[in-house]
Amino acid sequence: MPSCRSSGVLTASAVVNAGRCKLISIHVTNLGAGADTTIKLFDNASAASGTELSRIIVSPQVGPTEFDMHGVICLNGLYLEISTGAGTGAAVSVEFA
């Protein structure tokens, strides 16, 4: 099993990695009490723009979920965007190498 790094648990939009990397997986838990949460990952080191690598919409009824990204190569870095309606958002960790 290859090793990878983790962003740790994030609850707000943030830079995950500022350089070239491989996206391994995304772990998401919706913390909201009635609102869907949208999670987006971009191949960008500073903003929610550029190539959108994934868009995941998680409802509060879904428990913790893992998304395998099969080692997608990110040339510029990784930026995580978390947006939610009337709720408390999500807890997300991004694993990369």
Side-chain angles (χ1 to χ4, degrees), residues 56-86:
I56 301 165
I57 300 172
V58 183
S59 73
Q61 292 78 23
V62 175
T65 306
E66 177 181 6
F67 300 90
D68 184 0
M69 301 306 291
H70 302 288
V72 172
I73 295 174
C74 306
L75 298 176
N76 303 304
L78 276 171
Y79 186 87
L80 171 70
E81 179 185 79
I82 300 174
S83 59
T84 205

Side-chain angles (χ1 to χ4, degrees), residues 2-96:
S3 299
C4 61
R5 296 170 52 195
S6 177
S7 65
V9 175
L10 301 170
T11 57
S13 299
V15 173
V16 173
N17 187 57
R20 182 181 168 114
C21 62
K22 280 187 185 178
L23 176 56
I24 305 298
S25 65
I26 307 165
H27 296 86
V28 180
T29 300
N30 188 319
L31 303 173
D36 288 349
T37 298
T38 301
I39 308 299
K40 296 179 186 178
L41 270 170
F42 293 88
D43 184 353
N44 194 321
S46 61
S49 62
T51 302
E52 185 176 333
L53 302 171
S54 69
R55 181 181 301 193
I56 301 165
I57 300 172
V58 183
S59 73
Q61 292 78 23
V62 175
T65 306
E66 177 181 6
F67 300 90
D68 184 0
M69 301 306 291
H70 302 288
V72 172
I73 295 174
C74 306
L75 298 176
N76 303 304
L78 276 171
Y79 186 87
L80 171 70
E81 179 185 79
I82 300 174
S83 59
T84 205
T88 55
V92 179
S93 69
V94 179
E95 282 61 51
F96 59 98

